[in-house]
Amino acid sequence: MENAKHTAGPWKFGGMNTRHIYSPDGHAICTMHAYQVLFPARDIEQVKSDAAYIVRACNSHEALLKALLLVNENNDGVLTLDAIQAVRAAIAQAEDK
């Protein structure tokens, strides 16, 4: 299992049952649970918010890593236009804009 790769993205949240996170081909990757009996303060809206956050984080991971690698390549301290654009695009993706 240590060589297993994660399901390709972009992942999506929602569908018929809004507690699932789905792969691009529509297969459920995971299900979020509220466990309202054990944790009464955790309602379905919190579960939906958590799932949406997981999807945003996973979907923006590669863009953020690419942007950081571009910034790191500039040892002289001068950022290239490509690096700046990659950083801005990654931030927008992470912020879901």
Side-chain angles (χ1 to χ4, degrees):
M1 181 90 169
E2 51 191 66
N3 292 326
K5 302 234 182 224
H6 68 78
T7 302
W11 294 0
K12 295 183 174 120
F13 170 65
M16 296 284 288
N17 181 344
T18 59
R19 295 184 307 166
H20 289 302
I21 295 175
Y22 294 98
S23 66
D25 59 3
H27 289 88
I29 295 171
C30 71
T31 303
M32 304 293 289
H33 296 284
Y35 295 117
Q36 291 179 330
V37 173
L38 298 174
F39 307 104
R42 234 176 109 83
D43 64 9
I44 193 65
E45 293 307 313
Q46 180 68 50
V47 170
K48 290 178 184 179
S49 179
D50 292 346
Y53 178 75
I54 290 168
V55 167
R56 271 195 327 277
C58 291
N59 287 345
S60 63
H61 173 79
E62 289 181 31
L64 289 167
L65 180 60
K66 176 185 173 188
L68 288 171
L69 290 171
L70 282 170
V71 169
N72 190 52
E73 287 176 3
N74 294 293
N75 295 330
D76 59 3
V78 178
L79 294 178
T80 64
L81 180 58
D82 286 344
I84 293 168
Q85 289 173 335
V87 168
R88 288 179 179 162
I91 290 169
Q93 185 176 9
E95 291 178 339
D96 198 26
K97 291 183 180 178

